[in-house]
Amino acid sequence: GQQVMQIPQYQHVQEGEDFTTYCNSSTTLSNIQWYKQRPGGHPVFLIQLVKSGEVKKQKRLTFQFGEAKKNSSLHITATQTTDVGTYFCAGKGGNTDKLIFGTGTRLQVFP
Amino acid sequence: EAQVTQNPRYLITVTGKKLTVTCSQNMNHEYMSWYRQDPGLGLRQIYYSMNVEVTDKGDVPEGYKVSRKEKRNFPLILESPSPNQTSLYFCASSPGRGYYEQYFGPGTRLTVT
């Protein structure tokens, strides 16, 4: 079945450093969504990408969907302590309406 | 305010004692689902519902039941909880499946001893 893996599982950075998490699917995806979960909180939707090679930005966050639509990345420039949390990707396979969540990347930012 | 609510938020119970976790949304969403979150495993779908009286199994349905008698409510039932069901549970809703943003509830932390 479809699997969505994320790397790294954990990342510790100094405030001001950049951060990137990668999402890889075993099958071609129709779309990719990204969510952020603050410590003790619930996942909150950040963005959705649909087109091959699509790049979207939200302030310091840059989201990219791979040309083959099997991978995606989230890059944070100059991290801040408010970026702390777990970032999940979620993708829908082409032959199903099901959204599969990745394993998540937990980001810790040291001031 | 548009939201998904879950109750209880925290629950400690014993093996075999039936329990229900309630979930309610006020956004008139058709699609609702339950996930469990475990360290290193991400979010795994337990059950989902496309509409009233329509439910289906997700990836990890064993030991769980659901019902969807009203559009706004989607309770999760554990008939005979076991320690391996100790987890953080999230209910989510969305206008549809797949291409739609999921709105998550605050979570229910369940411990089964």
Side-chain angles (χ1 to χ4, degrees):
Chain A
Q2 181 188 353
Q3 291 186 326
V4 179
M5 302 298 294
Q6 273 183 263
I7 54 171
Q9 191 173 5
Y10 303 100
Q11 183 87 57
H12 298 171
V13 300
Q14 203 76 32
E15 189 173 22
E17 292 181 339
D18 292 357
F19 159 77
T20 304
T21 173
Y22 300 90
C23 180
N24 296 294
S25 170
S26 57
T27 60
T28 302
L29 301 171
S30 298
N31 65 332
I32 193 88
Q33 297 179 350
W34 284 92
Y35 292 78
K36 177 183 178 180
Q37 181 181 19
R38 295 183 187 274
H42 59 275
V44 175
F45 176 82
L46 294 176
I47 207 162
Q48 173 167 266
L49 305 172
V50 179
K51 298 177 185 175
S52 169
E54 188 170 13
V55 178
K56 287 188 177 180
K57 293 190 175 185
Q58 288 180 350
K59 296 183 181 178
R60 294 177 295 104
L61 278 61
T62 301
F63 305 85
Q64 190 163 4
F65 201 7
E67 293 288 342
K69 300 184 79 173
K70 294 183 73 173
N71 56 72
S72 181
S73 64
L74 158 58
H75 179 81
I76 302 178
T77 303
T79 55
Q80 300 175 359
T81 54
T82 53
D83 295 324
V84 165
T86 300
Y87 292 84
F88 291 99
C89 64
K92 184 183 95 67
N95 296 326
T96 174
D97 284 339
K98 193 175 178 181
L99 202 63
I100 303 292
F101 278 83
T103 45
T105 296
R106 192 165 83 186
L107 172 66
Q108 179 69 3
V109 180
F110 294 108
Chain B
E1 180 191 354
Q3 60 181 351
V4 178
T5 57
Q6 290 178 232
N7 281 292
R9 295 290 312 280
Y10 303 90
L11 180 60
I12 301 174
T13 190
V14 296
T15 299
K17 187 177 181 181
K18 180 179 179 180
L19 67 92
T20 298
V21 183
T22 64
C23 173
S24 183
Q25 51 95 3
N26 62 0
M27 294 169 279
N28 201 36
H29 285 165
E30 308 251 320
Y31 182 77
M32 297 184 75
S33 60
W34 277 101
Y35 295 88
R36 60 177 290 173
Q37 183 177 16
D38 302 290
L41 297 177
L43 290 157
R44 294 180 294 167
Q45 192 177 56
I46 303 170
Y47 267 95
Y48 64 93
S49 170
M50 299 288 285
N51 212 326
V52 175
E53 303 292 0
V54 181
T55 63
D56 209 344
K57 296 177 181 179
D59 297 313
V60 288
E62 294 76 24
Y64 305 94
K65 285 175 60 176
V66 293
S67 69
R68 186 94 181 271
K69 292 183 168 50
E70 303 165 288
K71 197 172 187 178
R72 62 184 292 126
N73 297 323
F74 190 44
L76 179 69
I77 303 155
L78 283 72
E79 294 269 359
S80 182
S82 62
N84 64 12
Q85 292 178 299
T86 292
S87 187
L88 179 57
Y89 291 87
F90 288 103
C91 179
S93 76
S94 70
R97 199 179 179 205
Y99 282 105
Y100 298 92
E101 169 185 350
Q102 302 272 312
Y103 294 80
F104 284 83
T108 296
R109 185 165 292 283
L110 172 65
T111 302
V112 183
T113 62

